């Protein structure tokens, strides 16, 4: 195939990827956009095989068939609640693939200086993405402690590992390919582990977005190493879109990216608040059922959170929404940008339950309406509506924009318990004396209680 034709077709496919991503940004066209991207990736594989005269290489087809079967089985078995850690693992697999491409190029030892250097860079970024994503997935799945973990000299060791990675890349430029491979692989894998361990669970949406970006960057650099302009273009699109999403997540949490990556979101208790001679106040008991009922409400806001995902209560939430609307109420969903464990987590769950997109409102669009609504129903959310974010300095959520649930006249909380959320910060809303109803326990059971009253 002539190079010019390959470049033209690569440009067309890259443009179609952008079209697919644009469609995915809108819920109504998201499924179609996803199919567009899947189709484009299939065509990109065929184009690459044809360009490399490998279209009839049966070993490649066997390998791809095995990968496709594994992917289909995995997609069939994975539960929606497991989607955050699945996304993290997929980011890691993408990084690992780029690391393999870089490693193979270094082992060949037949490439130019530019190819060797970019191959080493692909290995570094890909390996960091792999171990970082693996740790993120384990934290999200609660297989390991989700809290930020740091040791004495953590930053110093991390800096040394980055220097070692840079040294490996430089060695590759001088032809020391095998040495470069070993140095880059070990240093990058360890750095990815140290990087992810210091990120707390509450900051995981940002970490996932960044790792997604790194997987794209690794792919783009790998494309440079093997002179594949299509891989460079698509990897660049993934990398840039991931960075944009990371920026959006940081703004939503009122966080600086480097503070998150350096683990500076760990809770620091104020000495004045830690008085040993004053006994801790007991958790407030649930109030008796008030005269107010959702049956009388005409303007209701539902706030979903990670607890809804854990309980798989999104279908019950949909039933509640339908019942309220049958009673003449206007129902809206307030979606915090970082509710759940990955960007768009709540949107995906509610879409699974066939909740109309028109019912979903972002924080800025609905936050001023809480004080004017009749009631708010919270389903498994805590951090995203915790008033402590406004005043509890030194905590992971301080300064984070929150949903103004505490301004609503009536609040019904359907949470499992009154323990702090993922960020580990007590929620003062739970001790409110008036206009609060606590339905503690499994969210499905609590929603059944509300449905029975309607």
């Amino acid at each position: 195939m002539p190079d010019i034709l390959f470049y033209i077709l690569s440009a067309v496919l890259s443009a179609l990827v952008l079209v697919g991503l644009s469609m995915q940004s809108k819920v109504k066209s998201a499924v179609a956009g996803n199919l567009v991207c899947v189709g484009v990736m299939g065509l990109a594989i065929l184009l690459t095989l044809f360009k490399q005269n490998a279209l009839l290489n049966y070993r490649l087809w066997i390998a791809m068939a095995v990968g496709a079967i594994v992917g289909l089985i995995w997609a069939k078995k994975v539960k929606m609640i497991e989607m955050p850690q699945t996304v993290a693992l997929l980011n890691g697999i993408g990084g690992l693939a780029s690391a393999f491409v870089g490693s193979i190029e270094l082992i060949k030892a037949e490439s130019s200086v530019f190819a060797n250097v970019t191959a080493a860079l692909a290995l570094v970024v890909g390996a960091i993405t792999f171990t970082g994503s693996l740790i993120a997935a384990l934290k999200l799945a609660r297989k390991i402690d989700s809290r930020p973990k740091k040791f004495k000299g953590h930053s110093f060791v991390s800096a040394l590992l980055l220097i070692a990675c840079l040294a490996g890349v430089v060695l590759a430029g001088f032809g020391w390919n095998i040495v470069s491979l070993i140095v880059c692989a070990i240093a990058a894998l360890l750095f990815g582990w140290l990087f992810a361990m210091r990120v707390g669970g509450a900051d995981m949406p940002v970490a996932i977005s960044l790792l997604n970006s790194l997987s794209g960057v690794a792919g783009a650099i790998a494309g440079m190493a093997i002179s594949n302009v299509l891989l460079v273009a698509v990897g660049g699109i993934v990398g840039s879109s991931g960075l944009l999403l990371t920026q959006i997540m940081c703004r939503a949490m009122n966080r600086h990216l480097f503070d998150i990556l350096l683990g500076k979101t760990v809770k620091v208790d104020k000495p004045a608040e830690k008085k040993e001679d004053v006994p801790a106040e007991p958790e407030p008991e649930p109030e008796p059922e008030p005269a107010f009922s959702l049956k009388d409400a005409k303007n209701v806001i539902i706030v979903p959170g990670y607890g809804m995902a854990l309980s798989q209560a999104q279908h019950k939430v949909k039933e509640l929404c339908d019942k309220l609307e049958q009673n003449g109420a206007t129902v809206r969903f307030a979606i915090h940008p970082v509710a759940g464990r990955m960007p768009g987590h709540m949107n995906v769950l509610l879409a699974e339950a066939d909740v109309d997109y028109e019912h979903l409102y972002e924080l800025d669009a609905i936050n001023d309406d809480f004080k004017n609504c009749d009631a708010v129903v919270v389903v498994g959310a805590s951090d995203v509506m915790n008033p402590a974010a406004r005043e509890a300095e030194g905590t992971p959520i301080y300064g984070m924009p929150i949903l103004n649930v505490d301004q609503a006249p009536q609040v019904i909380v359907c949470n499992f318990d009154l323990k702090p959320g993922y960020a580990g910060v007590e929620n003062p809303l739970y001790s409110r004396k008036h206009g609060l109803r606590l339905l503690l326990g499994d969210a499905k059971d609590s929603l059944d209680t509300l449905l029975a009253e309607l």
Side-chain angles (χ1 to χ4, degrees):
M1 175 185 291
D3 287 344
I4 186 64
L5 179 58
F6 178 70
Y7 295 152
I8 292 173
L9 292 176
S10 296
V12 171
L13 291 177
S14 299
L16 288 174
V17 169
L18 291 172
V19 171
L21 289 175
S22 177
M23 294 171 67
Q24 289 182 56
S25 66
K26 304 175 181 64
V27 173
K28 289 184 177 180
S29 59
V31 174
N34 190 49
L35 292 176
V36 167
C37 288
V38 170
V40 170
M41 288 300 99
L43 292 174
I45 292 172
L46 292 175
L47 177 61
T48 301
L49 292 175
F50 187 77
K51 177 71 167 77
Q52 300 297 325
N53 297 317
L55 202 58
L56 300 180
N57 189 323
Y58 71 92
R59 289 172 295 183
L60 289 176
W61 285 102
I62 291 174
M64 288 190 292
V66 171
I69 292 171
V70 171
L72 288 171
I73 294 175
W74 190 9
K76 187 72 175 178
K77 288 189 174 182
V78 69
K79 299 176 182 178
M80 191 62 67
I81 185 64
E82 299 168 335
M83 196 55 66
Q85 51 262 47
T86 301
V87 170
L89 283 174
L90 290 173
N91 289 337
I93 292 172
L96 184 62
S98 299
F100 278 142
V101 171
S103 299
I104 292 170
E105 284 299 302
L106 288 173
I107 291 172
K108 284 167 58 178
E110 300 172 353
S111 304
S112 64
V113 172
F114 177 79
N116 286 338
V117 170
T118 50
L121 280 173
L123 171 58
V124 168
V125 180
I128 290 173
T129 305
F130 173 66
T131 49
S133 298
L134 185 60
I135 295 299
L138 291 173
K139 283 192 173 189
L140 290 167
R142 296 183 182 272
K143 299 298 183 182
I144 61 176
D145 194 343
S146 63
R147 292 176 296 180
K149 292 291 184 181
K150 292 193 293 184
F151 57 84
K152 188 175 181 180
H154 196 118
S155 297
F156 178 73
V157 174
S158 297
L160 285 181
L161 290 172
L162 276 180
I163 293 173
C165 289
L166 180 60
V169 172
V170 172
L171 288 174
F174 286 96
W176 292 64
N177 293 35
I178 300 301
V179 176
S180 174
L181 190 155
I182 295 173
V183 171
C184 288
I186 294 175
L189 289 170
L190 288 175
F191 178 82
W193 173 65
L194 293 179
F195 145 71
M197 288 300 294
R198 72 194 305 169
V199 178
D203 297 322
M204 203 49 71
V206 175
I208 289 180
S209 301
L210 181 61
L211 289 167
N212 175 257
S213 176
L214 288 179
S215 69
V217 171
I221 298 174
M224 295 179 187
I226 61 176
S227 301
N228 188 319
V229 67
L230 180 56
L231 182 55
V232 173
V234 175
I237 291 171
V238 174
S240 58
S241 61
L243 282 176
L244 287 173
L245 185 57
T246 302
Q247 185 180 38
I248 292 171
M249 292 294 103
C250 287
R251 287 178 179 174
M253 299 176 69
N254 194 27
R255 290 278 180 265
H256 294 293
L257 179 59
F258 282 107
D259 286 345
I260 293 173
L261 299 183
L262 294 175
K264 293 184 178 180
T265 55
V266 183
K267 180 177 180 180
V268 180
D269 291 315
K270 296 179 182 179
E273 296 176 352
K274 204 171 183 180
K275 298 179 180 179
E276 297 182 357
D277 56 336
V278 179
E281 294 185 6
E283 290 184 344
E285 294 292 331
E287 291 185 1
E289 183 175 336
F292 177 85
S293 170
L294 276 180
K295 192 172 183 179
D296 304 320
K298 297 303 178 184
N299 185 354
V300 179
I301 298 176
I302 299 176
V303 177
Y306 187 59
M308 183 188 77
L310 285 176
S311 180
Q312 288 291 278
Q314 59 267 32
H315 296 283
K316 288 291 183 182
V317 169
K318 168 63 173 172
E319 288 183 38
L320 178 64
C321 175
D322 291 342
K323 193 67 175 177
L324 287 168
E325 289 183 330
Q326 289 174 13
N327 289 349
T330 297
V331 182
R332 292 174 293 169
F333 289 80
I335 310 297
H336 194 283
V338 294
R341 293 297 176 267
M342 70 175 186
H345 196 181
M346 295 300 103
N347 303 65
V348 171
L349 291 172
L350 294 172
E352 182 190 29
D354 295 324
V355 174
D356 292 335
Y357 178 64
E358 287 74 14
H359 285 80
L360 309 185
Y361 289 79
E362 296 181 359
L363 182 146
D364 291 338
I366 200 171
N367 230 13
D368 292 336
D369 296 342
F370 280 99
K371 58 181 177 291
N372 299 318
C373 72
D374 294 324
V376 173
V377 179
V378 177
V379 185
S382 183
D383 291 336
V384 298
M385 57 140 195
N386 191 341
R390 303 189 190 112
E391 55 205 27
E393 297 184 24
T395 65
I397 62 172
Y398 177 68
M400 183 180 84
I402 61 165
L403 295 168
N404 295 330
V405 172
D406 59 318
Q407 296 179 6
Q410 300 287 340
V411 180
I412 300 174
V413 177
C414 302
N415 285 359
F416 186 76
D417 52 37
L418 300 182
K419 293 180 180 179
Y422 214 25
V425 183
E426 297 286 347
N427 194 326
L429 175 65
Y430 298 155
S431 59
R432 195 166 89 170
K433 301 301 182 183
H434 304 286
L436 175 69
R437 183 179 178 187
L438 299 172
L439 295 176
L440 305 183
D442 185 83
K444 286 183 179 178
D445 296 336
S446 299
L447 291 169
D448 278 333
T449 300
L450 295 178
L451 284 167
E453 294 175 1
L454 295 173

PDB file of all heavy atoms in Angstrom, residues 159-172:
ATOM      1  N   ALA A 159      11.351  10.026  43.085  1.00  0.00           N
ATOM      2  CA  ALA A 159      12.199  10.873  42.244  1.00  0.00           C
ATOM      3  C   ALA A 159      13.381  10.079  41.688  1.00  0.00           C
ATOM      4  O   ALA A 159      13.743  10.220  40.512  1.00  0.00           O
ATOM      5  CB  ALA A 159      12.693  12.071  43.045  1.00  0.00           C
ATOM      6  N   LEU A 160      13.972   9.227  42.523  1.00  0.00           N
ATOM      7  CA  LEU A 160      15.083   8.393  42.065  1.00  0.00           C
ATOM      8  C   LEU A 160      14.641   7.450  40.946  1.00  0.00           C
ATOM      9  O   LEU A 160      15.379   7.226  39.973  1.00  0.00           O
ATOM     10  CB  LEU A 160      15.650   7.578  43.223  1.00  0.00           C
ATOM     11  CG  LEU A 160      16.515   8.320  44.256  1.00  0.00           C
ATOM     12  CD1 LEU A 160      17.012   7.357  45.317  1.00  0.00           C
ATOM     13  CD2 LEU A 160      17.706   9.002  43.563  1.00  0.00           C
ATOM     14  N   LEU A 161      13.442   6.896  41.086  1.00  0.00           N
ATOM     15  CA  LEU A 161      12.937   5.988  40.061  1.00  0.00           C
ATOM     16  C   LEU A 161      12.694   6.723  38.742  1.00  0.00           C
ATOM     17  O   LEU A 161      12.961   6.183  37.664  1.00  0.00           O
ATOM     18  CB  LEU A 161      11.644   5.322  40.548  1.00  0.00           C
ATOM     19  CG  LEU A 161      11.810   4.307  41.684  1.00  0.00           C
ATOM     20  CD1 LEU A 161      10.453   3.856  42.208  1.00  0.00           C
ATOM     21  CD2 LEU A 161      12.609   3.101  41.213  1.00  0.00           C
ATOM     22  N   LEU A 162      12.189   7.960  38.831  1.00  0.00           N
ATOM     23  CA  LEU A 162      12.000   8.747  37.611  1.00  0.00           C
ATOM     24  C   LEU A 162      13.342   9.060  36.945  1.00  0.00           C
ATOM     25  O   LEU A 162      13.460   9.027  35.708  1.00  0.00           O
ATOM     26  CB  LEU A 162      11.269  10.052  37.946  1.00  0.00           C
ATOM     27  CG  LEU A 162       9.744   9.979  38.016  1.00  0.00           C
ATOM     28  CD1 LEU A 162       9.169  11.346  38.368  1.00  0.00           C
ATOM     29  CD2 LEU A 162       9.157   9.491  36.690  1.00  0.00           C
ATOM     30  N   ILE A 163      14.338   9.355  37.758  1.00  0.00           N
ATOM     31  CA  ILE A 163      15.676   9.615  37.215  1.00  0.00           C
ATOM     32  C   ILE A 163      16.213   8.355  36.536  1.00  0.00           C
ATOM     33  O   ILE A 163      16.836   8.417  35.469  1.00  0.00           O
ATOM     34  CB  ILE A 163      16.623  10.093  38.335  1.00  0.00           C
ATOM     35  CG1 ILE A 163      16.187  11.477  38.844  1.00  0.00           C
ATOM     36  CG2 ILE A 163      18.068  10.134  37.838  1.00  0.00           C
ATOM     37  CD1 ILE A 163      16.961  11.948  40.060  1.00  0.00           C
ATOM     38  N   ALA A 164      15.966   7.206  37.160  1.00  0.00           N
ATOM     39  CA  ALA A 164      16.405   5.937  36.569  1.00  0.00           C
ATOM     40  C   ALA A 164      15.711   5.695  35.229  1.00  0.00           C
ATOM     41  O   ALA A 164      16.333   5.219  34.275  1.00  0.00           O
ATOM     42  CB  ALA A 164      16.109   4.786  37.527  1.00  0.00           C
ATOM     43  N   CYS A 165      14.419   6.029  35.161  1.00  0.00           N
ATOM     44  CA  CYS A 165      13.685   5.898  33.893  1.00  0.00           C
ATOM     45  C   CYS A 165      14.309   6.775  32.815  1.00  0.00           C
ATOM     46  O   CYS A 165      14.511   6.339  31.675  1.00  0.00           O
ATOM     47  CB  CYS A 165      12.218   6.279  34.088  1.00  0.00           C
ATOM     48  SG  CYS A 165      11.243   5.106  35.055  1.00  0.00           S
ATOM     49  N   LEU A 166      14.613   8.021  33.193  1.00  0.00           N
ATOM     50  CA  LEU A 166      15.233   8.950  32.249  1.00  0.00           C
ATOM     51  C   LEU A 166      16.599   8.435  31.807  1.00  0.00           C
ATOM     52  O   LEU A 166      16.960   8.517  30.619  1.00  0.00           O
ATOM     53  CB  LEU A 166      15.361  10.331  32.896  1.00  0.00           C
ATOM     54  CG  LEU A 166      15.997  11.430  32.035  1.00  0.00           C
ATOM     55  CD1 LEU A 166      15.187  11.657  30.761  1.00  0.00           C
ATOM     56  CD2 LEU A 166      16.116  12.726  32.825  1.00  0.00           C
ATOM     57  N   ALA A 167      17.359   7.882  32.751  1.00  0.00           N
ATOM     58  CA  ALA A 167      18.677   7.342  32.416  1.00  0.00           C
ATOM     59  C   ALA A 167      18.548   6.178  31.434  1.00  0.00           C
ATOM     60  O   ALA A 167      19.353   6.044  30.498  1.00  0.00           O
ATOM     61  CB  ALA A 167      19.385   6.875  33.691  1.00  0.00           C
ATOM     62  N   GLY A 168      17.510   5.340  31.632  1.00  0.00           N
ATOM     63  CA  GLY A 168      17.291   4.224  30.719  1.00  0.00           C
ATOM     64  C   GLY A 168      16.972   4.699  29.317  1.00  0.00           C
ATOM     65  O   GLY A 168      17.433   4.114  28.325  1.00  0.00           O
ATOM     66  N   VAL A 169      16.184   5.768  29.223  1.00  0.00           N
ATOM     67  CA  VAL A 169      15.841   6.322  27.911  1.00  0.00           C
ATOM     68  C   VAL A 169      17.101   6.864  27.229  1.00  0.00           C
ATOM     69  O   VAL A 169      17.315   6.664  26.024  1.00  0.00           O
ATOM     70  CB  VAL A 169      14.783   7.436  28.059  1.00  0.00           C
ATOM     71  CG1 VAL A 169      14.570   8.146  26.733  1.00  0.00           C
ATOM     72  CG2 VAL A 169      13.474   6.856  28.578  1.00  0.00           C
ATOM     73  N   VAL A 170      17.958   7.545  27.996  1.00  0.00           N
ATOM     74  CA  VAL A 170      19.206   8.088  27.442  1.00  0.00           C
ATOM     75  C   VAL A 170      20.118   6.959  26.968  1.00  0.00           C
ATOM     76  O   VAL A 170      20.727   7.021  25.887  1.00  0.00           O
ATOM     77  CB  VAL A 170      19.929   8.958  28.490  1.00  0.00           C
ATOM     78  CG1 VAL A 170      21.315   9.368  27.986  1.00  0.00           C
ATOM     79  CG2 VAL A 170      19.100  10.186  28.816  1.00  0.00           C
ATOM     80  N   LEU A 171      20.206   5.880  27.760  1.00  0.00           N
ATOM     81  CA  LEU A 171      21.032   4.735  27.372  1.00  0.00           C
ATOM     82  C   LEU A 171      20.555   4.126  26.065  1.00  0.00           C
ATOM     83  O   LEU A 171      21.362   3.677  25.235  1.00  0.00           O
ATOM     84  CB  LEU A 171      21.006   3.677  28.489  1.00  0.00           C
ATOM     85  CG  LEU A 171      21.769   4.013  29.769  1.00  0.00           C
ATOM     86  CD1 LEU A 171      21.529   2.949  30.829  1.00  0.00           C
ATOM     87  CD2 LEU A 171      23.265   4.138  29.479  1.00  0.00           C
ATOM     88  N   ALA A 172      19.235   4.107  25.880  1.00  0.00           N
ATOM     89  CA  ALA A 172      18.686   3.572  24.629  1.00  0.00           C
ATOM     90  C   ALA A 172      19.161   4.392  23.438  1.00  0.00           C
ATOM     91  O   ALA A 172      19.409   3.863  22.351  1.00  0.00           O
ATOM     92  CB  ALA A 172      17.163   3.566  24.681  1.00  0.00           C
TER      93      ALA A 172
END
